[in-house]
Amino acid sequence: MADELNSTIKDLEELKHQTLACENCHLRAGCRGVVFGEGSPLSPIMFIGEGPGQTEDELGRPFVGKAGQLLDRILEAADLPRNTIYITNIVKCRPSNNRTPTQEEMKFCLPWLREQYRILRPHFMVLLGLAATHGILAPDLKMNQVHGQWFERGKVRMMPTYHPAAILRNPNLKRPAWEDFQEISRAVKAFEQESETLEI
Ligand code: URA
């Protein structure tokens, strides 16, 4: 177990190092640094946002601005504290003026997310907002129609839900988002319990 953890950490560090030299698209030229992602390497769940904003670009960490602070509060309330999850973005470099990344930019960046998935093998993915939902599931989905639903993709269960920045802009989204997070927490706890039982 310790060996497996060490090798996961090492693989992630190597991958992070490679992303720093990425020239797949023009975004890298317009930002301070690459925001790779962070969190528990053992977590069964990966959260995927849109892309770094200004604060994230400055600090090199995902979800540390206003939207990130709201996400932290929702995660705490759902009994999924931030240090128990892994969190990253569909694009690792900040698009200028916080615009939404284009489908093409997401496509160029996707190989890095695939590698993160290959190393971490999460059982669940939460797609925070439309960009991640469009880039990973399908480009024509509407959030009010798909949020809160699990999509089975290979061995992963994926759920789109509202981006915390959207909740900040529209408080009416608080309730549906909270219901989604309760379902996410329920599914993760059930999965963890099942895994513990199998270990006996
Ligand atoms: N919004 C995102 O989608 N990702 C971040 O890292 C911060 C804000």
Side-chain angles (χ1 to χ4, degrees), residues 49-53 56 62-63 89 163:
E50 177 175 313
E56 288 77 18
F63 283 95
N89 284 301
H163 193 286

Side-chain angles (χ1 to χ4, degrees), residues 126-198:
V126 176
L127 312 176
L128 292 167
L130 270 184
T133 302
H134 288 170
I136 293 169
L137 279 179
D140 53 350
L141 298 177
K142 300 210 173 10
M143 188 54 82
N144 63 354
Q145 292 172 358
V146 295
H147 80 91
Q149 293 174 38
W150 289 113
F151 291 77
E152 314 289 332
R153 290 289 183 275
K155 291 184 176 163
V156 195
R157 304 185 75 197
M158 298 186 179
M159 183 194 284
T161 189
Y162 294 100
H163 193 286
I167 306 172
L168 285 173
R169 284 192 301 270
N170 179 1
N172 289 333
L173 300 179
K174 266 190 204 165
R175 175 159 291 279
W178 173 237
E179 285 166 5
D180 295 352
F181 273 82
Q182 283 178 304
E183 164 56 22
I184 294 162
S185 179
R186 191 207 55 74
V188 170
K189 306 284 172 209
F191 172 76
E192 285 173 341
Q193 235 173 21
E194 206 176 295
S195 314
E196 272 171 30
T197 317
L198 290 176

Side-chain angles (χ1 to χ4, degrees), residues 74-108:
I74 301 173
L75 288 169
E76 274 297 327
D79 197 20
L80 290 170
R82 172 95 176 219
N83 62 356
T84 67
I85 64 155
Y86 191 85
I87 189 159
T88 186
N89 284 301
I90 189 155
V91 298
K92 313 296 190 222
C93 293
R94 182 189 181 212
S96 54
N97 302 320
N98 290 347
R99 67 172 170 76
T100 305
T102 62
Q103 279 291 129
E104 196 179 39
E105 287 161 350
M106 293 194 278
K107 212 165 88 189
F108 279 132

